[in-house]
Amino acid sequence: MTAEQQPASQRQRTDPYVGQYAERAVGMVASEIRALFAVAARPEIVSLAGGSPYVSALPLDAVGTMVGQLIADHGDSALQYCTAQGDSGLRERICEVMALEEVVAHPDEIVVTVGSQQALDLLARIFIDPGDVVLVEAPSYVGALGAFAAYQADVVHVAMDDDGLIPDALEEAIRRTATAGRRAKFLYTVPNFHNPAGVTLAAGRRHRILDICHRAGLLVVEDNPYGLLGFDSDPMRALRADDEGVVYLGTFSKTFAAGIRVGWASAPAAIREKLILAAESAVLCHSSFSQLTVREYLATQPWLEQIKDFRELYRDRRDATLSAMSRMMPPGCHWTRPGGGFYVWLRLPDGIDAKAMLPRAISSRVAYVPGTGFYADGSGGQYARLCYSFPSPDRIHEGIRRLASVIETEIQLRDDFGPAAGIRRPI
Ligand SMILES: Cc1ncc(COP(=O)(O)O)c(C=O)c1O
């Protein structure tokens, strides 16, 4: 057996370089559910796990023709290095996209990144020293937690409810941090159609959150991949629209194509300069080909119509999810009702642990992500994230049916045997 074929846990034990890694690399371990995800990709399993956009809804032939034309017409620049800040034509277009959420930005304020994930990594790199406090929602996006953990941040979760981040809880977290003689480096928030919670920060809370952060001198990082994917209303006004000090992160992953890997940060001048320097040291510059593909897509294709199509498609899938859940989920289950985006956040009945239940769900041919991945402290065991963006409504219906039946069996086990059945107490 080669080292690659060994299970991750065993590989780590036999890793000959273990004493040589930097301290920050020690915390970088594969998630324990990664192996289950490989199984979840099998066609017989309905995966409500991964957050993949449904790219098959794109006009693939038209995009293919456009890419061919791009190389024929602009191959000399599309296949060449570019500046680390990114293509200026694309940055102009990005400002038009941000204007849909009432942000007035200048192309000079934009730094193009490899998806918004790289923007998170670059921000962590320029702001976080080991042990620095970062405030995030409870729960929070797993990729952001991974980026912050890689720089050894001390992540503090702040409570949310159905209207998003709770202002009083934020004030309290800031106060507690200060009382401990520390200062948070920034607040990381996903205000629209939250991943994983599916909730949206209410309009009435937005000024209050900005005001609290302003008074505390706390930088706000607004991560907004789903803002244009609302089902029932026009896009909300971005936090960045009311405060030029906010660092805004955007991406084309959900509104065009995740595989293109183009996102951006809009940031105040000083932060922007650091981001550009950090990006230079990471990648020299980003893919010119990807950037020009997005630029051409925005210039030549009906991208606003395409976003409308995506919204309708995801709305149907959200509806399929919620109606199946309300018909089939056993008593004691509670869930959020997203107005856009990809995710429903499910609270399981007391005494049912989502991670312990996952192997049994996989055996019943349905997959989800246990809530623990969305908390830096490993709490959240009673929760599961269900993603409806990829499976068809029929498959969603079948997946929810299977999941509901697995939960019913868990409830039965809990009632018959209690914690002795291997089911942990609620958090
Ligand atoms: C909240 C949030 N932020 C950032 C990302 C990263 O997206 P990308 O790097 O594809 O732009 C995702 C992807 O699912 C996300 O849900």
Side-chain angles (χ1 to χ4, degrees), residues 152-168:
Q152 298 167 280
D154 185 359
V155 169
V156 172
H157 288 280
V158 183
M160 279 197 289
D161 61 18
D162 285 346
D163 285 333
L165 190 64
I166 301 171
D168 287 347

Side-chain angles (χ1 to χ4, degrees), residues 84-145:
Q85 186 169 5
D87 177 73
S88 59
L90 173 62
R91 287 188 280 115
E92 277 171 30
R93 294 274 168 191
I94 285 172
C95 291
E96 290 168 23
V97 174
M98 292 175 73
L100 298 174
E101 293 172 324
E102 300 181 50
V103 177
V104 181
H106 189 277
D108 287 354
E109 292 168 31
I110 310 296
V111 181
V112 176
T113 56
V114 183
S116 44
Q117 187 63 37
Q118 191 204 20
L120 288 167
D121 179 77
L122 297 178
L123 282 168
R125 191 190 297 201
I126 66 173
F127 277 108
I128 298 173
D129 284 318
D132 277 350
V133 172
V134 173
L135 301 179
V136 307
E137 283 133 351
S140 184
Y141 166 56
V142 62
L145 295 181

Side-chain angles (χ1 to χ4, degrees), residues 7-337:
S9 52
Q10 210 174 319
R11 253 197 334 262
Q12 225 173 343
R13 258 185 271 128
T14 56
D15 182 347
Y17 307 103
V18 86
Q20 294 174 50
Y21 294 123
E23 226 176 90
R24 66 184 164 277
V26 176
M28 295 178 188
V29 287
S31 117
E32 45 198 299
I33 54 169
R34 199 195 264 180
L36 280 166
F37 275 177
V39 182
R42 292 210 301 248
E44 69 273 21
I45 291 180
V46 178
S47 179
L48 302 170
S52 301
Y54 192 70
V55 290
S56 308
L58 286 166
L60 295 177
D61 286 347
V63 173
T65 306
M66 181 201 83
V67 170
Q69 200 60 50
L70 167 68
I71 296 299
D73 294 346
H74 304 291
D76 54 344
S77 46
L79 302 177
Q80 188 54 276
Y81 290 117
C82 64
T83 66
Q85 186 169 5
D87 177 73
S88 59
L90 173 62
R91 287 188 280 115
E92 277 171 30
R93 294 274 168 191
I94 285 172
C95 291
E96 290 168 23
V97 174
M98 292 175 73
L100 298 174
E101 293 172 324
E102 300 181 50
V103 177
V104 181
H106 189 277
D108 287 354
E109 292 168 31
I110 310 296
V111 181
V112 176
T113 56
V114 183
S116 44
Q117 187 63 37
Q118 191 204 20
L120 288 167
D121 179 77
L122 297 178
L123 282 168
R125 191 190 297 201
I126 66 173
F127 277 108
I128 298 173
D129 284 318
D132 277 350
V133 172
V134 173
L135 301 179
V136 307
E137 283 133 351
S140 184
Y141 166 56
V142 62
L145 295 181
F148 303 155
Y151 294 92
Q152 298 167 280
D154 185 359
V155 169
V156 172
H157 288 280
V158 183
M160 279 197 289
D161 61 18
D162 285 346
D163 285 333
L165 190 64
I166 301 171
D168 287 347
L170 175 63
E171 268 188 322
E172 177 55 26
I174 293 171
R175 198 176 312 120
R176 255 187 289 119
T177 307
T179 308
R182 307 169 77 191
R183 192 171 150 236
K185 282 288 173 79
F186 55 80
L187 165 70
Y188 167 74
T189 175
V190 181
N192 299 314
F193 320 125
H194 190 271
N195 179 4
V199 298
T200 290
L201 183 63
R205 282 189 182 174
R206 295 189 175 222
H207 276 122
R208 176 105 196 274
I209 297 283
L210 285 174
D211 186 48
I212 291 168
C213 292
H214 193 73
R215 278 188 285 115
L218 183 64
L219 179 68
V220 176
V221 176
E222 173 182 30
D223 186 11
N224 190 25
Y226 307 99
L228 298 181
L229 294 177
F231 305 144
D232 311 312
S233 54
D234 289 338
M236 300 275 283
R237 186 176 164 84
L239 295 172
R240 168 67 180 71
D242 288 315
D243 186 343
E244 290 186 0
V246 168
V247 176
Y248 176 101
L249 309 185
T251 178
F252 291 102
S253 286
K254 320 291 176 176
T255 51
F256 175 28
I260 288 281
R261 309 304 302 132
V262 175
W264 72 92
S266 160
I271 296 176
R272 191 164 70 234
E273 288 311 310
K274 294 282 185 208
L275 287 175
I276 293 170
L277 291 170
E280 266 169 359
S281 80
V283 292
L284 286 186
C285 69
H286 304 107
S287 161
S288 307
F289 175 63
S290 286
Q291 291 183 64
L292 267 53
T293 298
V294 176
R295 189 187 75 188
E296 287 302 293
Y297 179 75
L298 296 174
T300 65
Q301 305 294 311
W303 60 277
L304 277 169
E305 287 304 308
Q306 181 60 47
I307 290 178
K308 229 191 250 171
D309 289 351
F310 275 133
R311 286 163 56 166
E312 276 163 26
L313 180 114
Y314 295 136
R315 184 198 289 122
D316 285 350
R317 291 170 187 211
R318 186 264 326 246
D319 290 347
T321 308
L322 293 183
S323 84
M325 289 180 82
S326 56
R327 269 179 291 125
M328 293 188 261
M329 281 294 162
C333 290
H334 301 276
W335 56 91
T336 53
R337 286 163 177 76

